[in-house]
Amino acid sequence: MGYIEWNYLQAKRQADRLEEQADMLDRLASNQMEESLQRLTGSWKGENARRYICKGNRAKKEINKLSKELKRTASVIRSSAERMHRAEIRAKALACTLKR
């Protein structure tokens, strides 16, 4: 495997890792945080409970926002890696034809 292929595969792996982290954050916000906030709503009443739950909902939205940004970043890495890979392959092919 050449240097070009190795760099391309490394970029794709990094994008995959980012997407995995984004999925983990999605699950955290959608499942664990949501369940906790629902339990709190049912068992804790009053002004402090309302404030705490509002903060929890804001945190959940921020986590979802971060997850979307990570997924977008992973997508940009993939598309950039793909473009660079194609350009490097074309440059290598052109260089080979010029040597002849």
Side-chain angles (χ1 to χ4, degrees):
M1 179 183 318
Y3 183 74
I4 292 171
E5 293 298 318
W6 186 81
N7 277 342
Y8 174 66
L9 293 175
Q10 284 294 99
K12 286 181 68 171
R13 281 189 205 111
Q14 290 299 323
D16 290 344
R17 288 178 63 195
L18 278 178
E19 204 158 76
E20 288 170 10
Q21 293 299 313
D23 289 339
M24 184 187 72
L25 288 173
D26 273 340
R27 285 189 304 275
L28 172 71
S30 297
N31 298 334
Q32 295 171 350
M33 284 188 75
E34 184 62 32
E35 287 175 21
S36 295
L37 290 172
Q38 289 298 324
R39 272 189 259 124
L40 279 172
T41 301
S43 61
W44 187 18
K45 305 295 179 198
E47 184 61 25
N48 288 336
R50 188 189 65 74
R51 286 182 185 164
Y52 187 85
I53 291 175
C54 283
K55 285 183 182 183
N57 283 323
R58 278 196 302 271
K60 194 171 85 169
K61 286 178 186 175
E62 286 297 315
I63 291 170
N64 284 329
K65 180 180 172 185
L66 176 60
S67 172
K68 286 177 184 156
E69 289 174 10
L70 287 175
K71 287 179 182 181
R72 186 177 55 80
T73 300
S75 176
V76 168
I77 289 170
R78 280 190 190 96
S79 63
S80 296
E82 191 66 40
R83 279 194 308 277
M84 286 296 294
H85 185 250
R86 285 193 307 262
E88 288 173 340
I89 296 297
R90 282 194 306 268
K92 186 177 177 182
L94 180 60
C96 286
T97 60
L98 292 177
K99 284 182 182 177
R100 293 180 188 170

